[in-house]
């Protein structure tokens, strides 16, 4: 199994687990614990209070790029590896009804969960796209801000996702909550 298939499988399982009432987690003994040192307390209570539980519980990121990004009303934002949609939902609220938030994910199960979270949140200025971060299905100059919440670490082609790869898409800024791992994660079962 290559790294992309391993990632797709792990994230599909995480989405299914969350849709069934559980919490997603990276791996290890803290999995399922609200005290997970990697993913707990990334979002302010006020930010997540009005979001569907499943959007919060599906978050597997390492930061809060929606809070760090300079988003203005009317902006168009793209979230790379949007998962269950937490950063898309937060971004859509910040850009308002005249703006748009795109979420890009390669996992059917995460896209289904994100669409359900969008429906529950009642936010209309969102579009979820199926695709891979190495080949984004949007036209050049179509977004103002690109955000990412550590998904770049999950790519086998990290160098193919650098600023040069996303620059043609964006009219503004690329904001990433990003801790670069040089080797594949053993938790994904990848050789390396």
């Amino acid at each position: 199994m290559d790294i992309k298939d391993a990632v797709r499988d792990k994230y599909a399982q995480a989405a299914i687990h969350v849709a069934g009432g559980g919490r997603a987690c990276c791996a290890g003994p803290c999995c399922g614990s609200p005290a997970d040192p990697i993913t707990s307390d990334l979002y302010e209570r006020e930010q997540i209070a009005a979001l569907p539980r499943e959007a919060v519980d599906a978050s597997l990121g390492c930061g809060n790029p929606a809070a760090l990004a300079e988003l203005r009303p009317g902006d168009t934002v793209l979230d790379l590896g949007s998962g269950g949609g937490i950063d898309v939902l937060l971004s859509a609220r910040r850009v308002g009804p005249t703006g748009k938030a795109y979420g890009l994910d390669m996992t059917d199960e995460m896209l289904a969960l994100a669409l359900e979270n969008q429906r529950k949140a009642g936010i209309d200025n969102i579009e979820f796209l199926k695709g891979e971060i190495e080949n984004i299905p949007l036209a050049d100059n179509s977004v103002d801000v690109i955000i990412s919440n550590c998904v770049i670490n999950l790519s086998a082609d990290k160098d193919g996702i650098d600023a040069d790869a996303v620059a043609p898409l964006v009219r503004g800024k690329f904001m990433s909550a990003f801790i670069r791992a040089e080797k594949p994660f053993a938790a994904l079962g990848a050789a390396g």
Side-chain angles (χ1 to χ4, degrees):
M1 176 181 297
D2 73 359
I3 188 76
K4 191 172 286 189
D5 290 336
V7 169
R8 186 178 286 117
D9 182 58
K10 290 288 186 181
Y11 278 72
Q13 293 304 314
I16 291 166
H17 186 71
V18 169
R23 282 183 61 133
C25 60
C26 294
C30 63
C31 195
S33 166
D36 184 332
I38 302 297
T39 60
S40 64
D41 299 326
L42 295 177
Y43 299 90
E44 299 292 328
R45 289 188 195 277
E46 301 78 38
Q47 284 183 295
I48 61 174
L51 296 181
R53 176 200 58 81
E54 295 86 355
V56 177
D57 288 350
S59 178
L60 289 163
C62 62
N64 184 345
L68 300 174
E70 188 177 318
L71 300 177
R72 294 179 299 262
D75 277 352
T76 300
V77 62
L78 167 63
D79 180 16
L80 301 177
S82 55
I86 188 169
D87 295 316
V88 178
L89 295 169
L90 293 171
S91 296
R93 286 203 172 127
R94 288 189 52 205
V95 300
T98 61
K100 181 150 189 151
Y102 288 103
L104 175 72
D105 206 280
M106 69 174 182
T107 309
D108 290 327
E109 293 83 355
M110 278 294 185
L111 287 168
L113 182 61
L115 286 167
E116 179 62 14
N117 288 331
Q118 176 190 2
R119 185 193 66 74
K120 287 179 179 177
I123 302 174
D124 295 326
N125 61 331
I126 291 174
E127 184 176 345
F128 288 100
L129 307 168
K130 182 168 185 179
E132 299 175 357
I133 60 176
E134 299 87 355
N135 187 21
I136 300 167
L138 287 172
D140 287 356
N141 294 309
S142 58
V143 299
D144 298 299
V145 179
I146 297 177
I147 62 173
S148 173
N149 201 343
C150 293
V151 74
I152 295 168
N153 274 326
L154 302 176
S155 174
D157 183 18
K158 290 173 188 60
D159 293 332
I161 312 166
D162 62 15
D164 292 335
V166 298
L169 289 173
V170 68
R171 297 183 291 253
K173 297 180 180 179
F174 176 46
M175 179 72 213
S176 177
F178 179 45
I179 301 167
R180 184 173 175 143
E182 293 297 326
K183 294 185 179 180
F185 291 111
L188 292 175

